[in-house]
Amino acid sequence: MSVHSKARKVTTNTLQEMKRAGEKITMLTAYDFSLAKLVDRGGVDVILVGDSASNVMAGMDTTVPMTLDHMIYHAQCVERAVDRALIVVDMPFGSYQGNSRIALESAIRIMKESNGHAVKLEGGSEIVESIERILTAGIPVMGHLGLTPQSIYKFGTYTVRAKEDEEAEKLIDDAKLLEDAGCFAIVLEKIPAHLAKKVSEAITIPTIGIGAGLDCDGQVLVLHDMLGITTDFSPRFLRRYLDLETQISGAVEQYCSDVRSGDFPNTDESY
Ligand code: KIV
């Protein structure tokens, strides 16, 4: 029998059971009520209220400007819509780095004010103290290694990470550290597939890949990218399942034309 069930609520334990059973974990982002409802109905296991909201919802160039208030607002909208998926909320830049007490306060705010189920933090050894302190409050933590977009100004680019041995070794050490600290899963972003495989085999908690190959225990994509709403972003790891940009623009054009020509509304659409 499958661990994955469309009816059962997903918990952090479900994800660990899925890894043990060799069942792939599905994760997508969502930031608002209406799309979160559809994503949950579609049967995704984890909904990430990602700080990628900064790019796809707010039109900013990086995730750096996101605040705790922004993240809590998006998480509240998503939480109202979701019945089944586990909801993980990104902790924004500046809410956890360098001070574990601030990290704990930020995570508690997210949990109390949004009703999300877990938080995600970017980084390894540099932030492990914050992770440990958040875990002491009983808040589940998802890690995030490889390309960590909140550090864009340190990396300078969004290209593939950990291609060199030294960075790859640090990434493996960091993954083990996050597992030992008590994280329930780790996102691996934009790293070579062979390294993601090695990490996934080296730890017992699930890895969720984005641009990290097939051997991760699960996959995540940004919803607006996979639905083809955002089309100016085309990394090779991205599979587009719809072309909503064309469909939505077409629908809007048709609506404008119908209004301008007097075709809409017709008598059936009037009182
Ligand atoms: O914010 C986000 O959407 C993310 C995913 C890319 C994993 O962190």
Side-chain angles (χ1 to χ4, degrees):
M1 208 184 86
S2 164
V3 175
H4 170 279
S5 141
K6 255 201 140 179
R8 214 176 100 180
K9 270 193 194 298
V10 180
T11 67
T12 56
N13 289 335
T14 319
L15 304 186
Q16 316 239 347
E17 285 167 28
M18 287 174 78
K19 171 155 182 159
R20 279 195 290 274
E23 289 177 28
K24 294 282 187 184
I25 298 164
T26 56
M27 175 157 124
L28 283 171
T29 64
Y31 320 96
D32 69 283
F33 177 85
S34 304
L35 286 179
K37 204 172 195 61
L38 300 182
V39 171
D40 193 44
R41 277 193 198 154
V44 83
D45 301 307
V46 185
I47 293 184
L48 172 67
V49 184
D51 61 357
S52 48
S54 183
N55 310 103
V56 300
M57 300 299 286
M60 291 191 272
D61 288 338
T62 75
T63 56
V64 172
M66 286 308 269
T67 66
L68 255 186
D69 287 339
H70 292 143
M71 292 310 303
I72 289 169
Y73 170 74
H74 287 294
Q76 286 169 337
C77 299
V78 167
E79 193 276 333
R80 284 182 211 117
V82 171
D83 290 327
R84 176 183 173 273
L86 180 81
I87 302 171
V88 179
V89 185
D90 260 341
M91 294 190 63
F93 178 68
S95 71
Y96 61 90
Q97 295 93 340
N99 185 325
S100 64
R101 190 180 57 79
I102 291 179
L104 177 60
E105 283 170 9
S106 307
I108 288 176
R109 265 201 72 198
I110 290 175
M111 298 299 283
K112 278 179 99 83
E113 295 178 37
S114 78
N115 285 327
H117 307 142
V119 295
K120 175 164 83 59
L121 286 73
E122 295 182 4
S125 53
E126 318 76 26
I127 57 146
V128 76
E129 204 182 309
S130 292
I131 290 178
E132 283 168 345
R133 196 140 172 196
I134 292 169
L135 285 162
T136 61
I139 301 171
V141 175
M142 179 180 272
H144 184 152
L145 298 172
L147 177 66
T148 47
Q150 291 178 10
S151 307
I152 180 60
Y153 293 114
K154 176 176 151 199
F155 297 145
T157 75
Y158 288 106
T159 52
V160 180
R161 304 299 314 171
K163 287 211 283 203
E164 308 301 329
D165 288 350
E166 199 181 328
E167 197 181 338
E169 275 160 31
K170 176 170 169 13
L171 193 141
I172 295 172
D173 290 346
D174 278 343
K176 289 182 181 160
L177 194 66
L178 296 188
E179 174 177 36
D180 290 345
C183 287
F184 70 87
I186 304 176
V187 166
L188 297 177
E189 181 164 355
K190 241 182 164 181
I191 61 170
H194 67 84
L195 175 61
K197 180 173 193 291
K198 211 166 161 184
V199 173
S200 305
E201 288 169 355
I203 59 177
T204 59
I205 57 172
T207 58
I208 316 276
I210 175 163
L214 184 62
D215 290 304
C216 295
D217 303 303
Q219 298 292 328
V220 56
L221 286 175
V222 168
L223 186 66
H224 291 58
D225 297 339
M226 62 87 81
L227 293 180
I229 297 174
T230 46
T231 50
D232 48 357
F233 178 68
S234 296
R236 79 191 245 186
F237 68 75
L238 174 61
R239 186 177 293 182
R240 289 196 203 285
Y241 288 82
L242 283 176
D243 177 14
L244 280 188
E245 186 200 40
T246 308
Q247 288 181 269
I248 292 174
S249 306
V252 171
E253 273 173 34
Q254 187 63 51
Y255 165 76
C256 293
S257 150
D258 290 353
V259 170
R260 288 176 189 134
S261 69
D263 180 75
F264 176 81
N266 62 27
T267 46
D268 288 345
E269 290 156 340
S270 306
Y271 297 97

